[in-house]
Amino acid sequence: MGRPYAVKGRKKKRKLEEAAAASDAAPPVEEAEELPPPEVRSGEEKSSEEDEAAAGEEEHAAADGLPILPRTVDGKRRPGAIFVLERACLEVGKVGKTMQILNSDDHANYLRKQNRNPADYRPDIIHQALLAIFDSPLTKAGRLQAVYVRTEKGVLFEIKPHVRMPRTFKRFCGLMSQLLQKLSITAVGKREKLLNVVKNPVTRYLPVGARLSFSAEKSVNLFDYVAKSNDDEPLVFVVGAMAHGKIDKEYTDDYIQICNYPLSAACCLNRICSALEQKWNIQ
């Protein structure tokens, strides 16, 4: 009577060994494949390969378009501000079967295997910076004219001022991954492009006579600096959105420092927005 139980036990043991072997053979999550930066093309046609890649995206935050904020329209022409965020770390990689924005938390092992510093892969910096701009009273009052973001790979894209940015980091990464693959994101129920990859350089999209200021070495009182600016000249602020390092300042007019201490991009943008709100009496 003991033999059947022994046979049954061996079968059960064999199944457990096979399951363990299959588990060991499963590919690790960290194996990601880096993708080259997208090429900007004329026209709105998208290839079937791009559609298939976008269909495999884990986060579908922008699948049906982005919501927009109510626009302030009073018929008056008022001065505004433009922000250029340089060296944003937004790099798409293929993780398993999905396309994701690489970051230091989820893909640290892969980045180390590629002899890269995981600390350089910080898409959370640009997310916080954009929230600082779009959550400000300056934007809600309709004084934000445009936002331009250039990635470490040199991809430049424009964000319209009435976009409602994703609040969570995961949804933001899903949106950026879709943007860098499809090259544009439209509004909900509309064909208006809210985020759009454009050709370099950024200076071709800035107003004629715009005054460009880059936050860096020249120490100034930001409130006095903004108060002295002419409302007839559009103000353009260039801020670095990377973990460390410097950005190209060749196309800027002023190279200023707004604090004696190192500031994050989001904190720097909060200060700039507050100074502009005081200048234009935005309560």
Side-chain angles (χ1 to χ4, degrees):
M1 295 297 294
R3 187 172 183 80
Y5 290 96
V7 174
K8 185 176 181 181
R10 285 198 296 270
K11 290 182 178 180
K12 184 176 181 181
K13 182 177 180 181
R14 188 180 302 113
K15 290 182 179 180
L16 291 175
E17 291 176 350
E18 291 175 354
S23 176
D24 294 338
V29 178
E30 293 291 347
E31 291 301 323
E33 178 183 349
E34 178 189 351
L35 294 184
E39 296 181 1
V40 181
R41 298 171 298 194
S42 59
E44 297 186 7
E45 295 184 357
K46 303 293 185 296
S47 66
S48 59
E49 294 181 357
E50 289 176 331
D51 293 336
E52 291 175 0
E57 178 61 43
E58 181 180 358
E59 288 301 316
H60 299 282
D64 299 324
L66 272 177
I68 59 177
L69 298 172
R71 306 188 195 189
T72 304
V73 180
D74 56 7
K76 297 181 180 180
R77 185 177 179 180
R78 298 181 176 181
I82 299 174
F83 292 95
V84 180
L85 305 180
E86 288 277 4
R87 293 188 59 187
C89 185
L90 294 171
E91 189 172 319
V92 182
K94 188 174 182 180
V95 182
K97 296 183 179 180
T98 62
M99 313 304 295
Q100 298 181 16
I101 295 291
L102 300 177
N103 66 81
S104 58
D105 290 332
D106 299 326
H107 312 110
N109 291 340
Y110 163 76
L111 295 171
R112 292 191 186 97
K113 289 178 182 178
Q114 299 296 320
N115 294 323
R116 304 186 195 180
N117 185 7
D120 294 334
Y121 289 77
R122 295 283 308 279
D124 58 296
I125 296 177
I126 184 64
H127 182 220
Q128 295 169 5
L130 290 174
L131 287 179
I133 296 173
F134 286 94
D135 284 351
S136 67
L138 177 78
T139 299
K140 298 180 187 302
R143 296 299 187 93
L144 177 66
Q145 292 187 2
V147 175
Y148 295 92
V149 178
R150 180 154 51 192
T151 70
E152 284 276 16
K153 296 291 186 180
V155 179
L156 177 68
F157 61 90
E158 177 188 8
I159 305 178
K160 298 297 183 181
H162 48 280
V163 170
R164 188 188 298 272
M165 295 302 299
R167 311 301 302 176
T168 64
F169 177 66
K170 189 174 182 179
R171 293 196 64 191
F172 172 78
C173 287
L175 175 69
M176 292 296 106
S177 176
Q178 193 170 12
L179 171 65
L180 295 176
Q181 293 174 75
K182 286 190 170 184
L183 307 183
S184 65
I185 301 293
T186 58
V188 175
K190 300 180 181 180
R191 301 185 65 180
E192 178 188 6
K193 293 183 179 180
L194 300 180
L195 290 85
N196 188 33
V197 175
V198 295
K199 292 184 178 181
N200 283 289
V202 69
T203 50
R204 68 165 66 185
Y205 309 104
L206 302 180
V208 177
R211 185 174 184 81
L212 290 89
S213 300
F214 167 59
S215 54
E217 295 174 349
K218 179 183 175 182
S219 181
V220 299
N221 184 302
L222 185 59
F223 289 91
D224 293 340
Y225 178 83
V226 170
K228 294 176 182 178
S229 63
N230 190 349
D231 283 341
D232 295 332
E233 298 178 348
L235 289 172
V236 181
F237 291 92
V238 185
V239 179
M242 63 288 187
H244 50 77
K246 294 183 178 181
I247 65 176
D248 181 16
K249 58 180 180 179
E250 292 181 357
Y251 64 92
T252 59
D253 297 317
D254 285 337
Y255 197 50
I256 64 173
Q257 173 185 326
I258 63 174
C259 182
N260 293 327
Y261 302 98
L263 299 178
S264 66
C267 183
C268 179
L269 290 164
N270 278 328
R271 287 198 165 202
I272 295 173
C273 290
S274 296
L276 293 172
E277 289 157 9
Q278 178 174 310
K279 172 181 174 61
W280 293 326
N281 195 27
I282 299 174
Q283 301 297 326

